[in-house]
Amino acid sequence: GAVVSQHPSWVICKSGTSVKIECRSLDFQATTMFWYRQFPKQSLMLMATSNEGSKATYEQGVEKDKFLINHASLTLSTLTVTSAHPEDSSFYICSAGRQALTYEQYFGPGTRLTVT
Amino acid sequence: SQQGEEDPQALSIQEGENATMNCSYKTSINNLQWYRQNSGRGLVHLILIRSNEREKHSGRLRVTLDTSKKSSSLLITASRAADTASYFCATDSGGNNRLAFGKGNQVVVIP
């Protein structure tokens, strides 16, 4: 159990367009989901915490109008990169915490975004 | 904020040898977790150690935590080629499960 999926696994888009990435917990309910970005050969940077039914909490320096997060249900959170630019190219990873277990997070396989 | 910081060294070892990597952090924590990431993939949770624990084992993994020194180590015994990956520590400090990841250690196990 505790599987998290992401879709798409990779996407190429043109500069100025918007891209939506989905994160789903497949076999458990996730009241909280987290979004990270990772540049090549670097660590994960937490972007925001997504709580079901409420507004996301963004980390300092992350533009909430650029990275729109919606956590509409206990199994789905979406990240929309609006007006994407080449510098937004990165590996985006989500994770989900199980409702019954407060500590362990389960990570999705990541989405590779390339903006041309 | 990036709090967990591994020693910035890549490891290249022969299959069967042990691999040790370290992690240091700056503030008090609720727990510390180690993850593995294969190239271009998501993270796999390896082990979690709580702030009141000093050592934990899981299969070939051994984790220690020294809260007085704000450091942790991960030992992989009898390494295998499949252990080739990047290993990250992550600290949970605020009680809301937000994780701060370290820089990661790349481990290469040569068959």
Side-chain angles (χ1 to χ4, degrees):
Chain A
V3 178
V4 176
S5 70
Q6 281 185 241
H7 177 79
S9 56
W10 60 270
V11 57
I12 301 173
C13 71
K14 292 186 176 181
S15 189
T17 61
S18 296
V19 175
K20 180 185 285 188
I21 302 170
E22 291 185 350
C23 176
R24 293 181 185 272
S25 56
L26 299 184
D27 51 2
F28 66 99
Q29 293 185 328
T31 52
T32 304
M33 289 184 172
F34 302 88
W35 287 96
Y36 300 83
R37 68 186 298 182
Q38 184 182 31
F39 292 107
K41 299 190 184 301
Q42 293 189 24
S43 188
L44 280 73
M45 294 289 293
L46 179 64
M47 298 175 66
T49 303
S50 167
N51 293 298
E52 185 264 338
S54 63
K55 291 183 179 180
T57 301
Y58 290 81
E59 296 297 307
Q60 191 173 8
V62 177
E63 300 176 59
K64 59 183 178 182
D65 293 332
K66 181 166 185 63
F67 299 99
L68 301 179
I69 292 172
N70 184 12
H71 194 154
S73 75
L74 287 172
T75 59
L76 172 65
S77 176
T78 61
L79 167 68
T80 301
V81 183
T82 63
S83 187
H85 292 283
E87 57 265 31
D88 297 324
S89 298
S90 187
F91 194 53
Y92 291 87
I93 306 175
C94 72
S95 71
R98 294 182 78 167
Q99 204 166 6
L101 299 176
T102 58
Y103 295 126
E104 194 166 331
Q105 293 184 26
Y106 299 91
F107 283 78
T111 297
R112 175 77 58 192
L113 170 64
T114 302
V115 184
T116 61
Chain B
S1 60
Q2 291 297 301
Q3 169 162 258
E5 296 183 0
E6 292 80 39
D7 286 353
Q9 56 183 334
L11 298 174
S12 183
I13 58 175
Q14 294 289 329
E15 199 166 32
E17 294 180 341
N18 295 341
T20 301
M21 57 208 88
N22 300 301
C23 168
S24 61
Y25 55 92
K26 297 176 182 176
T27 65
S28 61
I29 61 171
N30 295 318
N31 63 75
L32 185 145
Q33 304 174 36
W34 284 92
Y35 289 85
R36 183 185 74 225
Q37 183 182 35
N38 291 88
S39 181
R41 301 285 187 89
L43 273 70
V44 174
H45 181 270
L46 296 177
I47 198 165
L48 179 152
I49 186 164
R50 291 181 171 80
S51 61
N52 60 354
E53 297 176 311
R54 293 296 168 260
E55 186 171 314
K56 204 163 184 179
H57 297 254
S58 177
R60 293 183 295 113
L61 305 179
R62 173 175 170 259
V63 169
T64 63
L65 179 64
D66 187 337
T67 52
S68 66
K69 296 181 179 178
K70 292 186 169 57
S71 67
S72 173
S73 68
L74 171 67
L75 168 68
I76 305 173
T77 60
S79 63
R80 305 167 181 169
D83 295 329
T84 295
S86 293
Y87 292 83
F88 296 90
C89 77
T91 54
D92 178 356
S93 300
N96 54 4
N97 301 327
R98 288 167 61 246
L99 295 179
F101 278 83
K103 296 175 184 171
N105 255 326
Q106 185 167 4
V107 175
V108 175
V109 181
I110 303 168

